[in-house]
């Protein structure tokens, strides 16, 4: 009788200890994942701020610089000069990315009031960063920006 009770008590303690360990592990995993996503978004924002600062000061953009930014920061960039897409935009685009850019532009307009199609004259750079899930289920960090220039304005959409 005591041996049977001893086995049941051992099993019960093992079960409780296992549940505590599994729940603590899951809790730690969720905290780490949350911090990782937050750190990733912070890095994305810092990279975007660097790109936008560079774009504010430049009057000429080279294909080489754009390619370096896309590959170095793992981004896809769509830039329009006074509403006209840069030739660079048509070089390396597939339909999935084009649709993601369209969706990001719509979200920037509807949710954040940043209309990149009809830019009003401004003296300040206006940008908004957010996350979105594309039609195909991919999750993106997005930055939408309007940058005033002496000859009009640039609109920039960046996908990470």
């Amino acid at each position: 009788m005591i041996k049977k009770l001893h086995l049941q008590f051992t099993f019960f303690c093992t079960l409780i200890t296992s549940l505590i360990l599994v729940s603590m592990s899951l809790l730690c995993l969720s905290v780490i994942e949350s911090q990782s996503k937050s750190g990733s978004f912070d890095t994305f924002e810092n990279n975007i701020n660097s790109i936008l600062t560079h774009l504010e000061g430049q009057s000429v953009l080279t294909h080489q610089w754009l390619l370096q930014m896309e590959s170095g920061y793992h981004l896809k960039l769509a830039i329009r000069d006074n509403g006209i897409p840069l030739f660079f935009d048509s070089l390396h685009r597939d339909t999935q990315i084009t649709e993601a850019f369209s969706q990001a532009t719509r979200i920037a307009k509807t949710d954040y009031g940043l209309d990149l199609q009809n830019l009003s004259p401004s003296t300040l750079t206006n940008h908004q960063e957010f996350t979105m899930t594309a039609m195909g289920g991919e999750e993106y960090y997005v930055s939408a920006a309007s940058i005033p220039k002496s000859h009009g304005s640039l609109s920039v959409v960046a996908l990470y």
Side-chain angles (χ1 to χ4, degrees), residues 54-74:
H54 181 79
L55 289 173
E56 286 175 342
Q58 296 299 312
S59 58
V60 176
L61 298 176
T62 64
H63 288 264
Q64 180 182 4
W65 182 82
L66 292 169
L67 284 172
Q68 285 176 342
M69 292 302 102
E70 282 193 344
S71 65
Y73 294 134
H74 306 288

Side-chain angles (χ1 to χ4, degrees), residues 52 104-105 108 114 116 126-130 142-146 156-158:
L52 294 179
T105 302
L114 185 58
L116 298 176
N126 187 11
H127 63 95
Q128 185 66 46
E129 286 76 38
F130 54 93
V142 180
S143 178
S146 64
V156 180
V157 177

Side-chain angles (χ1 to χ4, degrees), residues 2-154:
I2 293 182
K3 187 170 183 159
K4 184 178 178 185
L5 185 61
H6 183 262
L7 282 173
Q8 287 177 346
F9 187 70
T10 303
F11 177 73
F12 178 73
C13 288
T14 304
L15 179 67
I16 296 299
T17 304
S18 299
L19 288 175
I20 291 171
L21 286 173
V22 167
S23 63
M24 293 301 290
S25 296
L26 291 176
L27 179 66
C28 289
L29 182 64
S30 68
V31 168
I32 290 170
E33 183 180 9
S34 170
Q35 289 176 345
S36 175
K37 282 185 179 183
S38 176
S40 178
F41 192 75
D42 290 344
T43 300
F44 168 73
E45 286 180 320
N46 290 337
N47 293 341
I48 289 300
N49 285 333
S50 171
I51 290 171
L52 294 179
T53 301
H54 181 79
L55 289 173
E56 286 175 342
Q58 296 299 312
S59 58
V60 176
L61 298 176
T62 64
H63 288 264
Q64 180 182 4
W65 182 82
L66 292 169
L67 284 172
Q68 285 176 342
M69 292 302 102
E70 282 193 344
S71 65
Y73 294 134
H74 306 288
L75 297 170
K76 291 292 183 187
L77 295 170
I79 302 174
R80 293 177 175 262
D81 187 9
N82 291 323
I84 301 169
L86 297 182
F87 178 70
F88 176 80
D89 289 349
S90 63
L91 294 178
H92 308 287
R93 298 289 183 252
D94 60 7
T95 56
Q96 184 178 8
I97 292 295
T98 303
E99 290 173 10
F101 279 122
S102 298
Q103 182 181 355
T105 302
R106 280 192 309 275
I107 291 172
K109 181 179 180 181
T110 58
D111 294 356
Y112 300 99
L114 185 58
D115 188 0
L116 298 176
Q117 303 295 339
N118 304 312
L119 294 174
S120 59
S122 174
T123 56
L124 298 174
T125 297
N126 187 11
H127 63 95
Q128 185 66 46
E129 286 76 38
F130 54 93
T131 60
M132 78 168 198
T133 302
M135 301 293 182
E138 299 86 14
E139 189 171 320
Y140 289 102
Y141 293 152
V142 180
S143 178
S146 64
I147 302 172
K149 302 299 261 183
S150 60
H151 63 281
S153 60
L154 289 177

